[in-house]
């Protein structure tokens, strides 16, 4: 994790928020490359799950909503975590995470020597299990108290008159309260889904692990509405679609490069299930901090629509023409965090390799996710015609792609820099491209494309460059493109 955090800072992916003021707990800013990576993750998610699917629609609901929304959803009463405080060092812990936290122990059997004992373990000298604060090893912990994770805020110009409302802790409720609006305006038949990407806020008790758990984060959520009275392939529609969404979500992460070995499913046991859920499966990723939730896919039943109907007095039903009945749809909710997805893509892409006796750090991002798609590098920055051609190529490619121009180092160094930020293709312009009139060498009009992963190079006509790069980014294999062009 430390390696990633330092790479992220050094290469402009993620900075500590308000760093010049010593930072603010658990808030992070996405730098020039981070914002590109983030936008690309959101763009491909939206394209694959909303734009390309005939059964999906999009929505962008507001962050501030009527306070009753949160009463109806159960968040005011139930969106709590039990927490305890250390009476000595004042550190705060989520009770349910205590068992997963390594703990500091001053062992009486070894004259009070200090040990850090792995989570859930006992001291191998005195046999003691943890009872005190895991952080300082000295303080007693308070009895557990429930702590509501919603951020409260005041709406309106005069504080005393202002209505208390909340920053949304999930984007989902914006979809539920708009269910009827979407149904009526878009004339949909079940099953159909609504996707949304947006910020959510949770006053987490123990944020941390870089961007894994923050108080402000972004979600990519889908509420997929199904008719609970229907069956698909002999199974209740909600159960069938739940499995389909689990498969689709796992396949999506794999398609964009996450290695299968680093993904697994975790089925919620009965005592882990939210009170409204019939079944929930988490997709877990092997983060640098260990296996942890990347996203959750829950069957929320008809709980939310029924609650909002009850609190608003508006019917939130669907008329089933075939059965001539009004039904409250069941909802399958695939819910992913943009920041956790970004951390997973980053961790999975990171490689340290040895190339000709030297260490090469490379981020093997899927070409569609790489923050920079193409780097244009002039081989000689003293030659005006080379620099001009390189700028012209940058200008042309940047109409559709994220492209950088760099001439601030020798070519080997420039390649390494691009490898380290995961740029899949570098294009170099050299003397052959523009010709050398002093030596009577004609221009061949070709440029070199270098592939990040194989480090192979091919030469293609500059006039065909945009098309070749486009093919590569859309998934044509390097070997196929190389076969049609000359290797250099
Ligand atoms: P956790 O158990 O890790 O607190 P959760 O089960 O409360 O997560 P959900 O309510 O299911 O999370 O939210 C859906 C997704 O939103 C999560 O899978 C995660 O990707 C993301 N997410 C939730 N809380 C945070 C957070 N504090 N910081 C970053 N991402 C988050």
């Amino acid at each position: 994790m430390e390696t990633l955090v330092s790479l992220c800072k050094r290469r402009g992916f993620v900075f500590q928020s308000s760093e010049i003021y010593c930072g603010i707990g658990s808030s992070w800013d996405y730098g020039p490359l981070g914002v590109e990576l983030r936008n690309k993750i959101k763009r491909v998610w939206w394209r694959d799950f909303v734009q390309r699917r005939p059964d999906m629609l999009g929505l962008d609901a507001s962050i501030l909503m009527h306070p009753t929304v949160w009463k109806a959803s159960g968040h005011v009463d139930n969106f709590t975590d039990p927490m305890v405080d250390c009476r000595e060092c004042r550190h705060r812990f989520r009770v349910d995470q205590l068992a997963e936290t390594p703990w500091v122990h001053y062992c009486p059997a070894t004259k009070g020597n200090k040990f850090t004992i792995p989570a859930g373990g006992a001291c191998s000298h005195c046999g003691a299990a943890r009872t005190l604060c895991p952080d300082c090893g000295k303080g007693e912990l308070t009895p557990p108290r429930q702590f509501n994770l919603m951020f409260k805020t005041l709406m309106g110009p005069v504080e005393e008159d202002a209505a208390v409302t909340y920053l949304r802790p999930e984007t989902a409720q914006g979809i539920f309260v708009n269910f009827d609006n979407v149904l009526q305006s878009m004339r949909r038949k079940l099953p159909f889904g609504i996707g949304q990407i947006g910020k959510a806020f949770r006053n987490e008790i123990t944020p941390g692990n870089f961007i894994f758990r923050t108080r402000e984060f972004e979600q990519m959520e889908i509420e997929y509405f199904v008719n609970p009275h229907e069956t698909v392939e002999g199974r209740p529609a909600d159960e069938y679609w739940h499995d389909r969404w689990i498969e689709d979500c796992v396949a999506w992460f794999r398609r964009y490069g996450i290695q299968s070995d680093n993904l697994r499913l975790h089925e919620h046991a009965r005592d882990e299930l939210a009170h409204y859920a019939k079944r929930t499966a988490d997709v877990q990723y092997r983060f640098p901090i260990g296996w942890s939730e990347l996203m959750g896919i829950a069957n929320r039943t008809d709980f939310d629509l029924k609650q909002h109907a009850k609190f608003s007095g508006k019917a939130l039903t669907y008329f089933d023409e075939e059965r001539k009945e009004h039904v409250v749809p069941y909802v399958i909710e695939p819910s992913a965090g943009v920041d956790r997805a970004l951390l997973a893509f980053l961790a999975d892409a990171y490689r340290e390799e040895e190339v000709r006796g030297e260490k090469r750090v490379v981020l093997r991002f899927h070409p569609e996710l790489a923050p920079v798609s193409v780097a244009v590098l002039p081989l000689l920055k003293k030659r005006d015609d080379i620099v001009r051609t390189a700028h012209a190529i940058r200008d042309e490619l940047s109409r559709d792609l994220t492209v950088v121009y760099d001439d601030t180092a020798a070519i080997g160094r420039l390649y390494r820099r691009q490898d380290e930020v995961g740029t899949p293709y570098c294009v170099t312009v050299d003397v052959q491209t523009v010709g050398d009139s002093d030596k009577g060498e004609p221009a061949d009009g070709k440029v070199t494309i270098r592939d990040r992963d194989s480090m192979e190079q091919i030469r293609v006509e500059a006039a065909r460059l945009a098309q070749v790069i486009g093919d590569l980014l859309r998934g044509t294999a390097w070997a196929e493109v190389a076969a049609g062009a000359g290797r250099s």
Side-chain angles (χ1 to χ4, degrees), residues 282-298:
D282 290 342
V283 178
Q284 294 189 333
Y285 177 73
R286 200 202 306 252
F287 284 99
I289 50 168
W291 286 102
S292 308
E293 176 178 334
L294 173 58
M295 70 173 298
I297 304 145

Side-chain angles (χ1 to χ4, degrees), residues 49-101:
F49 287 125
V50 180
Q51 193 183 324
R52 281 195 177 156
R53 292 183 60 130
D55 55 348
M56 287 290 302
L57 296 160
L59 184 79
D60 188 6
S62 66
I63 288 173
L64 296 173
M65 302 174 74
H66 195 287
T68 312
V69 167
W70 308 109
K71 267 255 152 235
S73 67
H75 283 83
V76 171
D77 296 325
N78 298 321
F79 196 56
T80 55
D81 274 337
M83 66 171 198
V84 289
D85 291 303
C86 171
R87 294 193 202 275
E88 202 64 40
C89 70
R90 304 274 160 223
H91 238 103
R92 192 157 271 188
F93 303 91
R94 250 171 71 174
V95 175
D96 58 334
Q97 288 177 348
L98 277 175
E100 300 152 24
T101 313

Side-chain angles (χ1 to χ4, degrees), residues 94 170 202 204 211-215 217-219 221 293-296 335-337 339-340:
R94 250 171 71 174
E170 60 178 27
R202 295 182 190 178
E204 298 276 3
I211 52 173
F212 178 83
R213 187 179 303 285
T214 49
R215 293 191 170 109
F217 55 97
E218 200 160 14
Q219 291 185 310
E221 291 201 300
E293 176 178 334
L294 173 58
M295 70 173 298
S335 171
D339 313 79
R340 276 191 204 176

Side-chain angles (χ1 to χ4, degrees), residues 9-58:
K9 174 164 186 197
R10 195 160 34 83
R11 301 307 315 270
F13 282 88
V14 186
F15 307 127
Q16 167 84 69
S17 163
S18 321
E19 193 180 354
I20 59 166
Y21 291 100
C22 299
I24 173 166
S26 95
S27 289
W28 299 91
D29 297 340
Y30 288 87
L33 296 191
V35 68
E36 291 293 341
L37 177 57
R38 213 178 146 77
N39 283 345
K40 287 181 181 181
I41 292 171
K42 291 192 276 184
R43 200 179 307 149
V44 293
W45 184 91
W46 190 266
R47 184 191 64 198
D48 296 346
F49 287 125
V50 180
Q51 193 183 324
R52 281 195 177 156
R53 292 183 60 130
D55 55 348
M56 287 290 302
L57 296 160

Side-chain angles (χ1 to χ4, degrees), residues 66-279:
H66 195 287
T68 312
V69 167
W70 308 109
K71 267 255 152 235
S73 67
H75 283 83
V76 171
D77 296 325
N78 298 321
F79 196 56
T80 55
D81 274 337
M83 66 171 198
V84 289
D85 291 303
C86 171
R87 294 193 202 275
E88 202 64 40
C89 70
R90 304 274 160 223
H91 238 103
R92 192 157 271 188
F93 303 91
R94 250 171 71 174
V95 175
D96 58 334
Q97 288 177 348
L98 277 175
E100 300 152 24
T101 313
W103 54 287
V104 167
H105 175 54
Y106 292 93
C107 174
T110 59
K111 297 186 186 151
N113 277 350
K114 182 180 172 186
F115 297 101
T116 300
I117 307 208
C123 174
S124 57
H125 303 284
C126 69
R130 189 202 58 77
T131 51
L132 302 172
C133 168
D135 244 31
C136 69
K138 292 180 178 156
E140 299 219 333
L141 297 177
T142 59
R145 282 177 290 144
Q146 289 299 331
F147 175 77
N148 195 298
L149 300 186
M150 279 199 296
F151 275 98
K152 256 189 204 162
T153 188
L154 299 170
M155 222 174 182
V158 187
E159 223 170 79
E160 302 93 78
D161 302 343
V164 168
T165 188
Y166 304 92
L167 301 185
R168 66 180 176 199
E170 60 178 27
T171 64
Q173 300 304 324
I175 300 181
F176 295 128
V177 300
N178 278 297
F179 168 72
D180 201 49
N181 283 335
V182 175
L183 186 65
Q184 299 308 331
S185 58
M186 307 307 287
R187 299 171 182 283
R188 284 303 158 126
K189 284 206 176 336
L190 291 181
F192 75 93
I194 303 176
Q196 170 165 234
I197 300 179
K199 289 264 181 168
F201 303 82
R202 295 182 190 178
N203 201 2
E204 298 276 3
I205 298 168
T206 46
N209 290 321
F210 193 32
I211 52 173
F212 178 83
R213 187 179 303 285
T214 49
R215 293 191 170 109
E216 172 183 342
F217 55 97
E218 200 160 14
Q219 291 185 310
M220 307 185 279
E221 291 201 300
I222 292 166
E223 305 302 329
Y224 195 77
F225 301 96
V226 303
N227 189 335
H229 299 158
E230 267 175 10
T231 53
V232 187
E233 294 179 3
R235 302 172 59 203
D238 60 312
E239 294 179 13
Y240 168 85
W241 282 107
H242 197 176
D243 279 337
R244 282 287 303 274
W245 275 107
I246 294 171
E247 280 164 28
D248 287 357
C249 291
V250 172
W252 188 81
F253 282 107
R254 286 206 190 122
R255 186 176 333 140
Y256 291 100
I258 300 274
Q259 299 162 82
S260 300
D261 289 357
N262 290 337
L263 287 173
R264 73 178 188 194
L265 281 179
H266 165 74
E267 287 283 342
H268 282 216
R270 264 191 179 283
D271 58 350
E272 215 183 330
L273 271 184
H275 60 97
Y276 50 75
K278 177 168 158 184
R279 176 190 168 204

Side-chain angles (χ1 to χ4, degrees), residues 372 374-378 386-387 389-395 397 403-407 414 418 423 425-429 465:
V372 176
V374 182
V376 183
L377 316 170
I386 291 183
V387 169
T389 307
H391 276 299
I393 289 174
R394 195 215 79 91
D395 290 348
L397 293 180
V403 187
V404 296
Y405 169 94
D406 193 0
D407 64 6
L414 295 180
Q418 295 303 326
T423 307
Y425 305 107
C426 289
V427 171
T428 50
V429 179
L465 181 65

